[in-house]
Amino acid sequence: MLAAAIACEVTATLALRAALDQPAWYALVAAGYAGAFALLGAVLRAGLGLGVAYGIWGASGVALTALLATAIYGDPLTGTMGLGIALVIGGVLCVELGAQAAHRRGAGARR
């Protein structure tokens, strides 16, 4: 579900760029963002922590949008931008690892 939420968000963001020239794309923008938030809500209801879910969603969205905007629209993708994307992904990894460690400590304390 999280992958689908990411795909919806990236699709909506790329469609937003297209909608600037062709307003019919706004329908896909609205549907994509609505789907992304609905799916993100479902992921949270399934039990994934908010910080982890939102971090993965956000970082993946940034990385995929930057890469696809380069491929589709010819947007620049510099080394500095690549480093920034890597740092965002690294930050999300730290949040995930921290959440797993906290979960393990909490599970150990309940025994």
Side-chain angles (χ1 to χ4, degrees):
M1 282 187 288
L2 186 55
I6 293 164
C8 284
E9 188 266 335
V10 170
T11 299
T13 303
L14 293 170
L16 181 59
R17 171 80 179 264
L20 298 175
D21 295 325
Q22 298 175 353
W25 285 98
Y26 281 117
L28 183 57
V29 173
Y33 284 130
F37 284 110
L39 287 162
L40 186 59
V43 167
L44 297 175
R45 277 192 299 282
L48 191 59
L50 177 61
V52 173
Y54 185 74
I56 293 169
W57 182 66
S60 298
V62 166
L64 287 172
T65 299
L67 294 171
L68 290 172
T70 297
I72 296 168
Y73 298 113
D75 284 2
L77 185 61
T78 65
T80 302
M81 294 167 71
L83 176 62
I85 290 169
L87 289 171
V88 168
I89 292 169
V92 169
L93 180 61
C94 288
V95 170
E96 171 62 19
L97 293 173
Q100 287 179 9
H103 181 65
R104 282 192 302 273
R105 280 194 303 269
R110 285 178 262 189
R111 290 183 188 170

